[in-house]
Amino acid sequence: MAESHVDLGFIEKTEPSKLTCQQFPSKVGGKPAWLSLSPLPSPNQLQCSKCSAECIFLLQVYAPVEEDENAFHRTVFVFLCKNPDCHQPNSQDPFVVVRSQLPRDNDFYSSEPPTPMTPAPTKGDKLCVVCGISGPKCCAKCHSRSYCSKEHQTIDWKTGHKKNCSESCEDMTTDSSQILFPEYELQIEEEELEKEEEKSEAEKKDELRSFLDSDKANSLLPDCSPGDLEKMSNQSTDKVFLKFRKRLEHAPDQVLRYERGGNPLLVSGENKPDDIPKCTCGAERQYEFQVMPQLLSHLGVDRMEASIDWGTLCVYTCSKNCYHGNQYQQEFLWRQDYSNQV
Ligand SMILES: [Zn+2]
Ligand SMILES: [Zn+2]
Ligand SMILES: [Zn+2]
Ligand SMILES: [Zn+2]
């Protein structure tokens, strides 16, 4: 991905075979398609810092950095806690981000580009059969199924393993649909903007007025009356919000914006990201991508977890792209919600 422009991510239903680790996918939901296959982040590293539950895989972005031979392959993974109580406005507590990088010659994959026939790598840590993160625990009776946690072992036991334990059950799949998010490919395309001429203030005002009168304003912000919008447009905070909405009009289905080293498109002028912690290597972190609120409608959370919600999730990664061999490096997610006035 080039760095001078924004790339957008769109959701696409696709064959599960295109989303395996050896295809180096960008994807949403299902189980993570790990890049380095050992050592994986421990279940502890992927715990919610609020309630200590195992976080669930949300998405991953495959984003190699051309000029860095240790980032020939590079993927950033985002996990979140599904406990609605952990999701407070502007709080990053229920999110975990990790980054993995590999050189072209590495312990897991061929140095040649993958084909649809590329076989799955044979090396790697055991995975939790329920959620797909590292599974250091196993069923004490049959020793053939691995789990990240007691909770997920219990789920597997109740949803079928109780019946099948002691039979040969390595290949049995668990019904993880209650746990995992629906799985999609994340297709990355360049953002295209029509060239906007400099507009006069009067033209801008007219435009805003007709936008506010249109159905579009309603569909972009259904729980907001046109009066609210009018009020908003007079406040500086909400100019940021209107800019956000305006930019999205070019491609309303985008679920991700990618611009490593660029700037996120904020949803509000309040609570700006000015306190991003440095990487453990000592380097500053820089903005890499943001997850848009449009993704929520594809996750089935409206139905299940009423309060999982966000304005935008901005992921910041090490500007030096520090390399730790096959180890995963923790990165930082900063969450911004719509301002209270909305
Ligand atoms: Zn939690
Ligand atoms: Zn698990
Ligand atoms: Zn068993
Ligand atoms: Zn670093």
Side-chain angles (χ1 to χ4, degrees), residues 232-249:
M232 276 169 34
S233 69
N234 296 324
Q235 297 162 350
S236 67
T237 294
D238 305 307
K239 284 198 182 123
V240 175
F241 178 73
L242 278 183
K243 188 177 155 210
F244 176 81
R245 285 305 184 187
K246 194 100 190 114
R247 187 75 179 256
L248 296 200
E249 277 179 49

Side-chain angles (χ1 to χ4, degrees), residues 47-55 80-87 93-94:
Q47 269 177 3
C48 170
S49 59
K50 259 209 143 131
C51 73
S52 302
E54 246 54 77
C55 288
L80 68 78
C81 175
K82 279 184 96 177
N83 179 356
D85 296 338
C86 297
H87 289 257
D93 290 347

Side-chain angles (χ1 to χ4, degrees), residues 139-145 147 157 161 164-166 169:
C139 176
K141 270 178 146 173
C142 66
H143 298 279
S144 67
R145 287 171 84 75
Y147 305 102
W157 188 253
H161 188 56
N164 305 301
C165 183
S166 73
C169 51

Side-chain angles (χ1 to χ4, degrees), residues 39-63:
L40 294 177
S42 71
N44 283 349
Q45 279 176 278
L46 297 178
Q47 269 177 3
C48 170
S49 59
K50 259 209 143 131
C51 73
S52 302
E54 246 54 77
C55 288
I56 295 301
F57 173 70
L58 177 64
L59 60 83
Q60 66 187 69
V61 180
Y62 180 69

Side-chain angles (χ1 to χ4, degrees), residues 220-233:
L220 288 173
L221 203 68
D223 45 3
C224 213
S225 74
D228 287 339
L229 281 169
E230 190 92 58
K231 225 187 299 158
M232 276 169 34
S233 69

Side-chain angles (χ1 to χ4, degrees), residues 108-292:
F108 310 105
Y109 306 99
S110 158
S111 58
E112 296 307 314
T115 70
M117 307 308 289
T118 301
T122 49
K123 279 190 227 171
D125 291 356
K126 290 200 162 132
L127 302 178
C128 173
V129 294
V130 175
C131 73
I133 72 167
S134 162
K137 301 184 191 330
C138 73
C139 176
K141 270 178 146 173
C142 66
H143 298 279
S144 67
R145 287 171 84 75
S146 304
Y147 305 102
C148 66
S149 60
K150 197 96 198 113
E151 288 72 25
H152 286 182
Q153 180 169 12
T154 307
I155 288 170
D156 189 43
W157 188 253
K158 286 188 183 155
T159 56
H161 188 56
K162 187 178 180 179
K163 268 191 240 139
N164 305 301
C165 183
S166 73
E167 287 169 35
S168 123
C169 51
E170 280 110 286
D171 299 327
M172 278 267 310
T173 50
T174 308
D175 177 15
S176 305
S177 57
Q178 293 299 308
I179 298 286
L180 301 177
F181 292 114
E183 186 173 46
Y184 306 95
E185 182 178 5
L186 195 51
Q187 283 202 338
I188 310 290
E189 290 165 26
E190 205 174 309
E191 180 178 48
E192 283 175 35
L193 301 173
E194 297 118 60
K195 283 245 165 10
E196 276 198 55
E197 328 265 307
E198 270 309 305
K199 288 185 183 124
S200 70
E201 279 304 307
E203 272 177 313
K204 280 187 193 161
K205 260 208 161 124
D206 278 354
E207 217 172 58
L208 178 60
R209 192 156 303 124
S210 59
F211 168 72
L212 294 174
D213 291 340
S214 70
D215 290 345
K216 217 175 221 165
N218 283 327
S219 66
L220 288 173
L221 203 68
D223 45 3
C224 213
S225 74
D228 287 339
L229 281 169
E230 190 92 58
K231 225 187 299 158
M232 276 169 34
S233 69
N234 296 324
Q235 297 162 350
S236 67
T237 294
D238 305 307
K239 284 198 182 123
V240 175
F241 178 73
L242 278 183
K243 188 177 155 210
F244 176 81
R245 285 305 184 187
K246 194 100 190 114
R247 187 75 179 256
L248 296 200
E249 277 179 49
H250 297 283
D253 299 333
Q254 59 189 274
V255 299
L256 184 106
R257 298 177 65 82
Y258 187 98
E259 190 187 14
R260 183 163 175 264
N263 293 299
L265 187 59
L266 299 179
V267 299
S268 162
E270 291 178 0
N271 178 37
K272 290 189 175 176
D274 41 20
D275 196 20
I276 304 300
K278 284 184 179 168
C279 178
T280 56
C281 77
E284 299 288 340
R285 286 203 177 93
Q286 64 181 1
Y287 167 74
E288 180 160 358
F289 62 83
Q290 68 185 120
V291 182
M292 308 302 280

